[in-house]
């Protein structure tokens, strides 16, 4: 009879309490003595059924012994006359959870309860022969009531486990909707999965060059200790290559196949022999490896789930969860992780501990006015000092390891150091501004604005002396959040700069849609100038012109040579920054550098090959602007040009480069659209490009 129906019968005795105690008192000792044989008979009958038999086969010897012991303890609690209803309910709920963890469906719970009821009734007939019929019937009814209540509580617990799984899937969807950066999304997703009942550990990792799976994000204290032992060479790693013994586990198979792979039971699966004892110590009994796939269906990362129960992931109720994890995280993480550098968990941990323990050092790189030659500010660049070696670790190494909380802390600590440096310079009579990178999250998280406000107030630095540089990487979030935060920053009086202009289409969109006070041209464009000077210099010239048309000052980064400095100045950049001007240095060294710094440029007398090429491109642009006025064009052609001054200074008279230059001057009066001019211009450009490469120690061709 179902529990709901039984509970409505007024003629049934209570399952627990004094009345139940009286009904069971005479027969309970004899029944409890039979529990051992009942448990043996119960599992013997289950092994005759295909589904339960397959499940029981997953249990190793020790695990099965523990299961049988738990079952016996639970039966004794049900038979004990003095048992309290609340205590039994707790035990029943635990049993229901355990059955849900091991993949036992509700239908099997009903079948198992029927088997136990049959065994109890037989035992009761033998134990109650001396009782009258009424007493035997009362005992039977109490036991039936207890079994039905036990089944009800187990089903409730079973359903709660299923509901928790649905909640975890909903949490994943909520995280995806937030548009989080990959580190935050990965951390949040693993947190949601790790909180599932029965989950021992959850990891996200990628193979290194040796095919060893490097766990980058880890949830589960015990598993963290395993990862540390692997790093120390004291535990067996996990591999993905087929020719490695450590590649035979679920992770290796999943990586090679692109499909989720299960270890149904660590006690019985021969493939996981290298990790069996380690897993036993960690309380791991089963595992599923879920490969995350890029748009081409190739694995780029691995999510591994580890459970404290055998059969946990092979249960039909888990399939929706596993499929959802693979689909959602593949789509959301592919852009951020595919092709990026693998950062082992230990390195991530050290970076984060370093940030929190005072290892952050902000180095300062000067920015100079390319017209006056005077330094105007310094950019504060974050480094982490390695404890043992003293090596300074750059942001390319540690930034990908930081989630939103660490990025905020990095910004706060870095800004504190930068403003302290500005105050120290001002006290020495050096009036320099300071700039610092603002992560993309800074325009979607009000906490960054509060940090700026607090640090400015604490330091006393005038807000106008602080520039926040918005990094190109990442998304800016919704305009409804972004625009009020930008307005709050500008209301503070700080300057906002767009970093890495030209590194992507989105940077041009932002230049048009956001109110920046300054732009910085991507140093990647500048560094290509030696190999492809025409393309790089044209980019710089057009981006500088675009920014100046919008009345926004332009800074060119990556000026590592005198030629790059000269070219940037000739092409109209306002400010320059790079190793050719100054390398990043401790803040205390800036005053001495500033006292000795000189910039000597003459736009009409370029001294470098790259500067000469830039001067020629400007001459070309001026020629094109004069095309509608032949008289002006003719007079312009006969004015000595900067390229001619360069050729004379470099003793290149009579060389192919000068002959090509003279050919351009001769064809120019016919107009920039003429065939003669076009041919002469192309020849000169090719020779100038070869000259730039040769001047920088590269092959001319």
């Amino acid at each position: 009879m179902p529990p709901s129906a039984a509970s409505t019968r007024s003629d049934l005795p209570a399952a627990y309490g004094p009345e139940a105690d009286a009904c069971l008192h005479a027969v309970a000792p004899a029944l409890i003595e039979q529990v051992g044989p009942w448990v043996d008979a119960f599992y013997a009958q289950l092994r005759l059924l295909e589904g339960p038999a397959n499940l029981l086969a997953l249990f190793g010897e020790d695990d099965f012994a523990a299961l049988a012991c738990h079952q016996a303890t639970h039966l004794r609690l049900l038979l004990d006359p003095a048992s309290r209803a609340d205590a039994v309910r707790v035990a029943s709920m635990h049993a229901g959870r355990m059955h849900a963890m091991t993949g036992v469906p509700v239908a099997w719970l009903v079948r198992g309860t029927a088997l136990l009821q049959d065994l109890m009734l037989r035992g009761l007939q033998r134990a109650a022969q001396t009782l009258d019929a009424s007493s035997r019937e009362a005992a039977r009814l109490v036991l039936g009531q207890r079994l039905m209540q036990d089944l009800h509580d187990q089903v409730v617990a079973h359903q709660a486990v299923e509901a928790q799984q649905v909640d975890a899937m909903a949490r994943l969807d909520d995280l995806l909707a937030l548009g989080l950066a990959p580190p935050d999304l990965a951390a949040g997703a693993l947190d949601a999965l790790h909180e599932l009942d029965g989950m021992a550990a959850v990891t996200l990792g990628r193979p290194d060059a040796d095919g060893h799976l490097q766990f980058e994000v880890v949830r589960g204290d015990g598993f963290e200790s395993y990862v540390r032992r692997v790093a120390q060479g004291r535990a067996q790693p996990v591999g993905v290559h087929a020719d490695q013994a450590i590649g035979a586990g679920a992770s290796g198979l999943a990586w090679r196949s692109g499909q989720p792979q299960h270890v149904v039971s660590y006690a019985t699966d021969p493939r996981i022999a290298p990790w069996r004892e380690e897993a036993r110590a960690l309380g791991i009994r089963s595992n599923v490896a879920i490969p995350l796939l890029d748009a081409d269906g190739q694995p780029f990362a691995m999510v591994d789930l580890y459970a404290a129960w055998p059969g946990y992931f092979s249960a039909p109720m888990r399939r929706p969860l596993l499929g959802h994890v693979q689909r959602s995280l593949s789509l959301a993480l592919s852009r951020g992780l595919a092709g990026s550098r693998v950062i082992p968990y230990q390195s991530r941990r050290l970076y984060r501990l370093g940030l929190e323990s005072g290892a952050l050092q902000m180095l300062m790189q000067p920015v100079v006015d390319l017209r006056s030659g005077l330094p105007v500010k310094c950019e504060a660049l974050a480094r982490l000092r390695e404890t043992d070696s003293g090596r300074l670790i750059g942001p390319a190494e540690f930034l990908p390891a930081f989630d939103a909380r660490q990025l905020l802390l990095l910004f706060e600590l870095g800004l504190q150091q930068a403003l302290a440096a500005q105050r120290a310079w001002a006290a020495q009579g050096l009036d320099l501004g300071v700039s610092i990178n603002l992560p993309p999250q800074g325009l979607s998280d009000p906490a960054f604005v509060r940090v700026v406000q607090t640090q400015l107030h604490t330091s006393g630095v005038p807000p106008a002396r602080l520039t926040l540089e918005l990094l190109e990487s990442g998304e800016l979030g919704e305009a409804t959040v972004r625009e009020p935060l930008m307005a709050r920053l500008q209301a503070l009086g700080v300057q906002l700069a767009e970093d890495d202009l030209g590194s992507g289409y989105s940077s041009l969109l932002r230049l048009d849609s956001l109110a920046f006070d300054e732009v910085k041209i991507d140093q990647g464009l500048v560094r290509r100038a030696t190999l492809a000077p025409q393309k790089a210099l044209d980019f710089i010239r057009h981006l500088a012109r675009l920014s100046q048309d919008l009345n926004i000052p332009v800074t060119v980064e990556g000026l590592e040579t005198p030629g790059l400095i000269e070219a940037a100045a000739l092409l109209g950049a306002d400010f320059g920054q790079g190793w050719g001007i100054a390398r990043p240095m401790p803040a205390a060294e800036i005053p001495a550098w500033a006292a000795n710094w000189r910039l000597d440029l003459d736009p009409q007398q370029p001294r470098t090959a790259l500067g000469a090429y830039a001067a020629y491109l400007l001459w070309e642009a001026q020629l094109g602007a004069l095309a509608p006025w032949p008289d002006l064009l003719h007079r312009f052609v006969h004015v000595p040009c900067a390229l001619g001054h360069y050729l004379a200074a470099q003793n290149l008279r009579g060389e192919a480069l000068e002959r090509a230059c003279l050919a351009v001057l001769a064809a120019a009066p016919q107009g920039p659209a003429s065939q003669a001019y076009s041919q002469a211009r192309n020849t000169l450009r090719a020779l100038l490009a070869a000259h730039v490469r040769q001047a920088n120690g590269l092959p001319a061709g």
Side-chain angles (χ1 to χ4, degrees), residues 3-4 89 92-93 113 146-159:
S4 58
R89 180 181 293 273
S92 299
M93 297 285 281
T113 299
R146 290 191 173 190
L147 278 175
M148 290 302 101
Q149 186 62 49
D150 176 61
L151 175 59
H152 174 270
D153 292 338
Q154 288 203 45
V155 170
V156 169
H158 197 288
Q159 292 172 338

Side-chain angles (χ1 to χ4, degrees), residues 112-464:
T113 299
L115 287 175
L116 287 174
Q117 188 173 36
D118 182 61
L119 289 168
M120 281 188 179
L121 289 177
R122 293 180 188 177
L124 182 61
Q125 288 176 350
R126 291 191 294 271
Q129 291 178 358
T130 60
L131 298 179
D132 58 56
S134 175
S135 298
R136 285 198 302 271
E137 179 63 10
R140 184 187 70 80
L141 290 174
V142 169
L143 290 176
Q145 283 277 77
R146 290 191 173 190
L147 278 175
M148 290 302 101
Q149 186 62 49
D150 176 61
L151 175 59
H152 174 270
D153 292 338
Q154 288 203 45
V155 170
V156 169
H158 197 288
Q159 292 172 338
V161 171
E162 294 184 13
Q164 189 190 39
Q165 177 176 298
V166 173
D167 289 343
M169 294 168 64
R171 281 186 62 186
L172 286 179
D173 289 338
D174 291 342
L175 289 168
L176 295 173
L178 294 174
L180 299 173
D184 299 292
L185 175 58
L190 265 61
D191 284 337
L193 294 169
H194 187 238
E195 289 171 12
L196 285 171
D197 209 352
M199 201 73 73
V202 185
T203 67
L204 184 145
R206 291 178 288 166
D208 60 18
D210 297 322
H212 293 174
L213 188 63
Q214 294 292 341
F215 300 100
E216 298 182 271
V217 187
V218 176
R219 294 294 182 270
D221 293 341
F223 207 93
E224 289 181 8
S225 66
Y226 160 72
V227 173
R228 288 195 290 272
R229 289 194 296 275
V230 169
Q232 296 163 356
R234 295 165 46 216
Q236 195 77 272
V238 176
V240 299
H241 292 163
D243 59 353
Q244 299 174 325
I246 57 173
S251 298
L253 292 172
W255 186 264
R256 297 192 295 274
S257 68
Q259 299 292 326
Q261 299 290 331
H262 297 260
V263 173
V264 181
S265 171
Y266 271 66
T268 59
D269 193 327
R271 298 173 302 173
I272 55 86
W275 308 281
R276 180 171 287 117
E277 292 308 314
E278 188 82 42
R280 179 184 294 276
L282 296 175
I284 291 173
R285 298 294 183 267
S286 62
N287 159 235
V288 63
I290 306 172
L292 304 185
L293 309 177
D294 61 21
D296 297 322
Q298 298 301 310
F300 67 86
M302 185 76 64
V303 172
D304 274 283
L305 310 180
Y306 301 87
W309 302 93
Y312 186 96
F313 301 106
S314 56
M317 65 178 288
R318 305 277 179 242
R319 291 173 191 160
L321 173 66
L322 304 184
H324 192 66
V325 168
Q326 184 177 41
R327 288 190 302 273
S328 60
L329 295 186
S330 290
L331 181 63
L333 296 177
S334 60
R335 187 174 66 172
L337 292 183
S340 64
R341 187 173 62 89
V342 175
I343 306 177
Y345 177 75
Q346 279 296 92
S347 298
R348 290 173 180 266
R349 182 172 174 272
L350 290 175
Y351 296 155
R352 294 173 179 182
L353 287 175
L355 175 65
E356 294 167 1
S357 61
L360 177 66
Q361 179 177 354
M362 303 302 288
L363 298 183
M364 304 295 168
Q365 187 171 37
V367 178
V368 302
D369 187 318
L370 292 177
R371 293 184 177 87
S372 69
L374 297 175
V376 292
K377 69 171 112 177
C378 290
E379 181 180 359
L381 302 170
R383 303 290 187 267
L384 287 179
R385 187 169 294 280
E386 204 170 55
T387 304
D388 296 334
S389 67
R391 179 178 72 96
L392 288 177
I393 303 169
E397 287 190 49
F398 62 75
L399 274 183
F402 287 173
D403 60 22
R405 185 181 65 84
Q406 282 110 29
L407 287 175
L408 178 61
L409 179 60
L410 173 67
F411 178 73
E412 182 176 13
L413 296 176
L415 181 58
Q416 187 176 25
Q417 290 189 31
L419 294 177
Q422 200 282 336
R423 287 190 61 189
W425 299 330
Q428 298 176 62
L430 186 60
D431 185 21
L432 293 179
V434 67
S435 65
I436 188 171
N437 286 325
L438 177 71
Q441 295 89 332
L443 291 184
S444 59
D445 185 352
F448 285 85
V449 180
R450 291 193 293 270
V451 164
V452 174
Q453 188 172 18
T454 300
Q455 293 293 333
L456 284 173
H457 176 75
T458 302
S459 67
V461 172

Side-chain angles (χ1 to χ4, degrees), residues 15-47:
Y16 298 95
E19 184 181 353
D21 190 346
C23 291
L24 294 179
H25 189 78
V27 297
L31 293 176
I32 291 174
E33 286 182 2
Q34 300 179 57
V35 164
W38 284 355
V39 170
D40 293 339
F42 175 71
Y43 286 114
Q45 291 186 55
L46 286 181
R47 286 192 172 93

